[in-house]
Amino acid sequence: MNRQPVRTVDPPTRTRRRLTAAALAATLLATLTGLAAGPAQGADPLLSQGRPVTASSTQSAAFPASAAVDGDSGTRWSSAAADPQWLSVDLGAAATVSQVVLSWEAAYATAYQVQVSADGATWTTLRAVTGGDGGVDTLAVAGTGRYVRVTTTARGTAYGVSLWEFQVYGTSTATGCDTTGNAALNRPATASSTENAALPASAAVDGNPGTRWSSAAADPQWLRVDLGVERAVCRVDLTWEAAYATAYQVQLSTDGATWTTVYATTTGTGGGQQLTVTGSGRYLRVLGTARATAYGYSLWELAVRTTGTTPTTPPPSGGDVLLSYGKPATASSYQDDGACWQCSPARAFDLDPASRWATSPTTGWVDPGWISVDLGATATVHRVVLQWDPAYATAYQIQTSTDATTWTTIYRTTTNPGFRQDLTVSGTGRYVRMYGTARSNGYGYSLWEFQVYGTGGAPTAPPARPADPTFPATTLVFADEFDGPAGARPDAARWTVDPGTGQNNELQYYTDNANAAMNGAGQLVMEARRENAGGRAYTSHRMNTGTKFQVQYGRIEARIRVPKGTGLWPAFWMMGGDFLTGRPWPYNGEIDIMEILGRDTYRSYTTLHAPAYNGGGGYGQEHVWTVDLSADFHVYAVEWDSRGMRFLVDGTQVFYASKETVETTRGPWVFDHPFYLILNLAVGGDWPGPPDASTPFPARMLVDYVRVYR
């Protein structure tokens, strides 16, 4: 049941040594030699330039791994001063590799291997070099893999290893345009605006032709999808609703900030369009500049076709684990008041997405602001995940330190859009810090989660979560078939009756089991009546499994026939079990599997409520039907696992809530813990409005069964 929205008042290096004249001359010579050499086998194309790249470490943010594959001989990657080190490039698809060219800076490797891998985890050495002397090494190799890595085992100097360029030549197996795969399917999507919560950006990439994104009625508007990694895009398919664009562009970007137009038209006709394009990027955007109607822009589906197969995320390097869970934390300041109770630094490292750290409203709503975690021992950090509150940093740095005094920046940005940021980094230290330098608004800095992954440290294992079910789930773990004799009350071993008044200015009084009984035909009848009780003019029934049964993940379903009538509000929903132990709504999370308004029983609603999206701003979907849902029984269900929730009515998907999409577009996902079931029939309230003279009383909601499968 949608509850009243709750609004909180809250926000909220070391330097490479100077080169001697001789070293500088050697470096320039090596660079010039590298430029002159080129590939020995000119017939094979360069595969590595601009591809995703990772490294064992970086000296500082000024020498990132990406600099070795950017095609710029004046930029370079430089590692920490230790052995071994590695640099790995993802070619995007399996390739036959024929040559590798390494253009060393003065800090070179005397011993190293060139390796390939199909999965980024198991490596095969194609070439081993000893006695290396720097300069430019042009190596003939023969092997096949998607990932190519150079692993150095001995340095030629006391410093790290450094490459101006790392070039891989060969023949990729990624040929032709894959017109069956969809690189945009269920990927995080954002938009310049939405007409309402029922028409979100995610609906255009959910693979469901019956759901859509719709914008506000203004120009320009855009829809953007994050493909996860840089992809070579060969075709874009648009399925427009009647509100289409006459003028629009399709654009690609590697960083979500700078865009390249790969298609443009001023004579769009709507309908289904298959656009042949050429370009690469991680982000794809449809930018509408002129509408065909007085309404906004609306797309049923956006599909992105690419060259080759859709890549999967490679496994963490070197057995990375979560290092920051439960570790000691400090911050520039923190908030602890009625608006953000106990929002201390530790809250960002507790793996509880509904608790957070925020800077103090009296001293901390200033720049800079920071939060730091002590990993317990020196660690190599490869990944940092930040889940921002609306009080986020537009500019910040990720820093490491061995002593919490001297800090090295391993990541920086000045264009952070907020929400969830999953950062690939490379650094070493015992302490990791987010150092914010520019706030997004007048509040401070606030993080729901700050997670650090890597190797080393002194990690504490987080609590284990249940395994994901395999759908269709078949193990029945809870059921009530309501097969008791006529007049029998709900089974007290399964259900707790919940008497009293409701929320949302509802008009009924829920009685203590006087408004629910079996009908003797295999159904529970929940009845709303026009009668006085508890100071209200109507009575009805509400019950839950709170102290009897809770579940995390699975298929939860009920077969229900809803009543018809203005002011009636039947619902089948779930609440986070921690609500019963004191956590307030919406921090516990709410899952509305089915809500229907009796005034229009051709529409059903599914909605999620959490701290960052609740009440009228809940995350969900309205579905319009061609049949009257009150005329018969229908099965309302959710299939729920650690990746998201799939909502169905009679087996038809009406909404998919992706955890990744929610975290990157709405806020924290607070649904990875046990929930209990609720059935109720409300009368009146802010959403349905009051009954009128046409509303039939008594009104009956019939429940044939409730079942839960794992």
Side-chain angles (χ1 to χ4, degrees), residues 48 50-55 64-69 86-90 148 166 424:
S48 54
R51 298 299 308 168
V53 64
T54 54
S66 59
V69 295
W86 54 262
L87 182 73
S88 173
V89 62
D90 178 1
V148 180
F166 175 29
T424 298

Side-chain angles (χ1 to χ4, degrees), residues 22-76:
L24 179 60
T27 300
L28 292 174
L29 177 60
T31 303
L32 292 173
T33 305
L35 291 174
Q41 297 186 19
D44 285 343
L46 177 62
L47 304 177
S48 54
Q49 187 164 311
R51 298 299 308 168
V53 64
T54 54
S56 52
S57 67
T58 56
Q59 177 190 340
S60 72
F63 305 106
S66 59
V69 295
D70 61 2
D72 183 350
S73 59
T75 63
R76 61 186 172 92

Side-chain angles (χ1 to χ4, degrees), residues 190-201 203-204 212-224 240-241 243-245 286-300:
T190 54
S192 52
S193 67
T194 55
E195 180 183 344
N196 57 52
L199 303 167
R212 61 186 174 93
W213 162 68
S214 184
S215 78
D219 295 316
Q221 300 290 339
W222 52 261
L223 176 73
R224 186 181 84 166
W240 293 98
E241 198 250 355
Y244 65 93
V286 179
L287 174 65
T289 55
R291 290 165 290 141
T293 71
Y295 301 100
Y297 299 89
S298 186
L299 280 166
W300 294 105

